[in-house]
Amino acid sequence: MEARPSCRPDTVITTVTDQRWRQTKALFQAALERPPVERAAFVVAQAGDDDELRREVEALLASDAADRSVFERLPLVGVSVIAASNFAPDATHQHTTLKPGSRIGPYEVVTLLGAGGMGQVFRARDTKLNRDVALKVLPDGFELDSDPMARFTREAHMLAALNHPNIAAIYGLEDSQDRHALILELVDGLTIADMIAHGPLALVEAVDVARQIAEALEVAHEKGIIHRDLKPANVKVTPTGVVKVLDFGLAKAWGGAADSGIAAVPTVTATGLGERGVLGTPAYMSPEQARGRALDKRTDIWSFGCVLFEMLTGRMAFRGETISDTIACVLERDVDWAALPASCPPRIRELLRRCLQKDPSRRLRDIGDARLDLEMLDEAAGGPAASAPTAITPASERPWLPDRRIHVRGGRLLAAGLVLVVSTAALAVWVDRMTAREASAGRSVIRLTSDAGLTTDPVVSPDGKLVVYTSDRAGNDKLDLWVQQIDLKTGKSFGVRASGGPPEPLCDKCGSWVWDWSPDRRWLLVYGPQKPWVAATIVDQETKTSRLFLERRNEDLFNFEISPDGRWIVFRAQMANRSRMYVAAFNGEPGPAENTWIPITDGSSMEDKMHWSPDGRWIYALSNRDGFQCIWAFPLDEQTKRPAGPPVAAIHSHGARLSIRNANLVPQDFSVARDKIVFNQGEITGNIWMTEIR
Amino acid sequence: MPSPRDVTALLGDWSRGNPAALNQLLPLVYAELRRIASRQLRRERTGHTLQPTALVHEAYLRMVEQRHVDWKTRAHFFGAAAEVMRRILVDHARRHNAGKRGDGMPTMPIQDVRDTAAPDGIPILALDLALQKLAEFDRALARIVELRAFGGLTIEEAACVLDVSPSTAKTEWRVAKAWLGRELGLDSHP
């Protein structure tokens, strides 16, 4: 049970004077310097007959002795665990040389994360800066004054200068007695290898990850640093979707005298089996690397191609049963181009072809070119389309305008009087090419916007042709409403700004958060915190009166939505972390009795943001029912609205649930209409995505 | 938005001892944090947890030229941001509280506040009240909590901002924890 502080600001302490506090604090601190067993007697002796002082200090000591770790967790700094997937965690042939609690310089070992050809890796606490780091302890044989050590030190210092969000940082090198360790940034998240283990990535994900890898490589290459060991196990995606390339340049630093060749690839050594066995690293080696020739940045471009190919297909570009077979593949065979998904745009095929040229002189010369290609793919969809307005059309002349409800980040705008400012259309090349293809594949996810800032809260029009959302893409720090057309046949898609007239309050006294109209527009259902619990109010548009609609004592009722036929409502009741979703009959009259509520979920999962399907036979909801937040569809019986089967995940990508793969694509808000779901991902920055429904 | 170079330069000036730089810096930090926080806070989402320091980090990443800052500069940025963050969160929690009751008077017990912003179960408003009280007789102690809780600073960084030795900061932090633990009544619910 979580500790809930009880707060009694008006009962606790009498007025504390500065003087009094100084006395108390001094005695408290003095007592802390004594061994715990002596403290009580010490305080009694020091306080003399000042009972109040004694009591105060004793109270502080008692508080000090209690578990105060809650305060240590207040700064929720987001460093956590490096997954040791690029090492073999069960590499028992290497005995643990550092026990938890032992130290190297200011670093206190917490736990072993993994071991590999590069030595062992520990999670460690930096006691100086009070942060956790990854500690790579160099294998035996690195003597401080030796040539390899000197070279390693030089390399490490150079690598420490690499500072880029997509590169896991190297903080420095620590020498302590006979041990040498590299201090690295701890990175949380899954490696690309982990992700690929579940199958290929969705095209958009692969493009996004590849773009960030290319950015990291570009920055390093500009500084003359080559990775030399780029592979899926060396690339992580943090829970916020940031790609981190690990172990930059370490292959060389660890590589001994050889500046090239297999010797420079540490994970090939017998002790360092990559997580995919001995095939781990040679599969990503460039032909020149496999031949032991001199290397330049083009070796990374090859490996980049291998990684991108594997993300798209779920299969290694080159693989064999043994190391030598794999190397033979790298040197002689072409990749299996047919393995690429049909939806893979020609631009990506071309990029892969140029990266995977066996002759380095014919290979893509600069990873920056790859980045540009990927960015164009990434940005073409939707695009920041704020240019000069060319037409103003009243909303009333636009029957397809989604007038049902428009959310403006916590505010409420009546859509009446909404004016469209149509900007010049930015034709989205990517959507043009990809939409049709992806749509035909069915239930893939495509990206509708590509903004650097926040684009969120999408609402799709009932006919599925328009999506309204808020975005700060205009660059004035304001979240404006935008309307974007979705037309799968022509592939045209453009965002236009929707500037509303003055907002009208819908219901003054409802304390409302969110509302929903009945289809006939007579009833307005509002829910909000107007009581100690969240309850629903109904507003009758004919009589302009409002009444309490539904409440349940000490439980919050949320997410009311009226079914498309106007005869049902869906909502959920929540108390603490337990939430159940219900359907109940609706006729505008307050309060369907609790015994008529039809439970849709059993409280073992949390749902949010429920929406009816247009035919009223499904309810779509955000749910964490398998531990990940995703959109699920709950089937209902057509007549009774009772559950008609188990819910199914509504967002798929190549047959796998999307949000498992990429934390960045966890849906936050969504909207359903006709044949599609439109959702947004990201709280602080993010974009709008779309998927087809059954 | 100011360029990262400007912010970095201002931070540099400030950490080198030019107090005027802070006056220029704070409004920038404030504007950026507000912008990020309001997006986050206005969502009113149930089950939504806000991590104050995550916002500060986000602001930092956006505002500062990453390649040219050392950890002292970072500490100073976070130190400034901590104060701003506290204000934003407290304002939000208060508004939330008021909106829930329909009037502005704090009649509800603080632990009942639907305080989505509270990390680990310590409501922001309760923490803020306690800190206000603490600041009345020990400003430095309140400040170190602010830096740690709202800015995500380490002891070392907090010491740097407060211009005291790390060991002093460590002792102060221990005292602050003991006092707050008692003030917030954390022991009555182990």
Side-chain angles (χ1 to χ4, degrees), chain A residues 593-657:
Chain A
E594 279 190 34
N595 58 12
T596 67
W597 298 3
I598 303 163
I600 307 296
T601 60
D602 61 6
S604 60
S605 56
M606 181 75 94
E607 279 69 37
D608 199 353
K609 315 265 173 205
M610 291 91 72
H611 297 299
W612 290 91
S613 69
D615 61 7
R617 296 178 65 171
W618 296 82
I619 287 167
Y620 290 90
L622 288 180
S623 172
N624 65 353
R625 49 184 302 113
D626 65 352
F628 297 89
Q629 181 169 312
C630 196
I631 301 172
W632 288 74
F634 296 79
L636 303 181
D637 181 85
E638 198 174 357
Q639 298 303 321
T640 64
K641 298 297 172 199
R642 296 197 171 272
V648 291
I651 302 186
H652 287 75
S653 166
H654 295 292
R657 288 236 293 84

Side-chain angles (χ1 to χ4, degrees), chain A residues 268-522:
Chain A
V268 179
T269 59
T271 52
L273 309 183
E275 62 151 11
R276 315 185 92 187
V278 285
L279 308 180
T281 292
Y284 308 97
M285 261 193 307
S286 65
E288 60 270 26
Q289 207 167 7
R291 290 194 164 100
R293 299 220 170 113
L295 298 181
D296 60 24
K297 62 185 184 180
R298 286 172 296 187
T299 190
D300 283 350
I301 292 175
W302 171 278
S303 306
F304 171 82
C306 293
V307 173
L308 178 54
F309 182 89
E310 193 171 328
M311 288 196 291
L312 291 168
T313 60
R315 292 157 56 168
M316 285 178 174
F318 304 96
R319 67 174 305 163
E321 292 302 309
T322 64
I323 293 181
S324 46
D325 283 355
T326 304
I327 291 173
C329 280
V330 168
L331 294 178
E332 288 155 19
R333 298 230 193 97
D334 201 10
V335 294
D336 178 11
W337 295 106
L340 286 169
S343 61
C344 182
R347 192 173 207 133
I348 292 202
R349 289 171 191 272
E350 174 62 15
L351 175 63
L352 281 171
R353 202 187 53 73
R354 286 163 70 207
C355 290
L356 293 175
Q357 288 291 330
K358 299 203 190 291
D359 179 356
S361 66
R362 299 180 61 194
R363 203 175 298 154
L364 185 76
R365 281 176 190 278
D366 197 329
I367 192 71
D369 293 342
R371 177 186 52 80
L372 282 173
D373 266 4
L374 293 163
E375 269 177 8
M376 280 157 87
L377 284 167
D378 228 8
E379 281 170 10
S387 44
T390 54
I392 296 174
T393 315
S396 54
E397 293 174 18
R398 299 263 174 179
W400 32 258
L401 243 189
D403 60 350
R404 200 155 153 254
R405 66 210 141 143
I406 294 175
H407 301 227
V408 183
R409 176 122 337 223
R412 297 110 189 105
L413 263 188
L414 200 60
L418 190 77
V419 172
L420 272 184
V421 181
V422 183
S423 80
T424 50
L427 214 87
V429 182
W430 189 42
V431 164
D432 195 13
R433 288 224 191 105
M434 291 180 44
T435 303
R437 218 172 266 131
E438 295 247 350
S440 67
R443 290 212 270 150
S444 321
V445 176
I446 65 167
R447 183 170 178 157
L448 293 179
T449 68
S450 184
D451 297 307
L454 182 69
T455 297
T456 184
D457 296 350
V459 180
V460 63
S461 63
D463 63 1
K465 287 183 179 167
L466 286 167
V467 57
V468 177
Y469 47 78
T470 64
S471 175
D472 63 356
R473 65 165 61 132
N476 56 5
D477 280 0
K478 290 198 184 100
L479 286 160
D480 296 325
L481 276 182
W482 296 74
V483 180
Q484 181 167 320
Q485 191 173 335
I486 309 164
D487 188 336
L488 293 180
K489 284 201 186 95
T490 65
K492 282 178 191 166
S493 179
F494 53 91
V496 298
R497 200 174 194 153
S499 302
E504 264 181 56
L506 283 165
C507 172
D508 284 343
K509 294 172 190 141
C510 305
S512 61
W513 282 342
V514 186
W515 72 88
D516 191 35
W517 290 102
S518 61
D520 61 4
R521 315 269 304 169
R522 173 165 175 201

Side-chain angles (χ1 to χ4, degrees), chain B residues 141-152:
Chain B
L141 220 51
R143 179 68 175 144
I144 199 168
V145 178
E146 186 175 72
L147 293 176
R148 302 268 290 134
F150 294 96

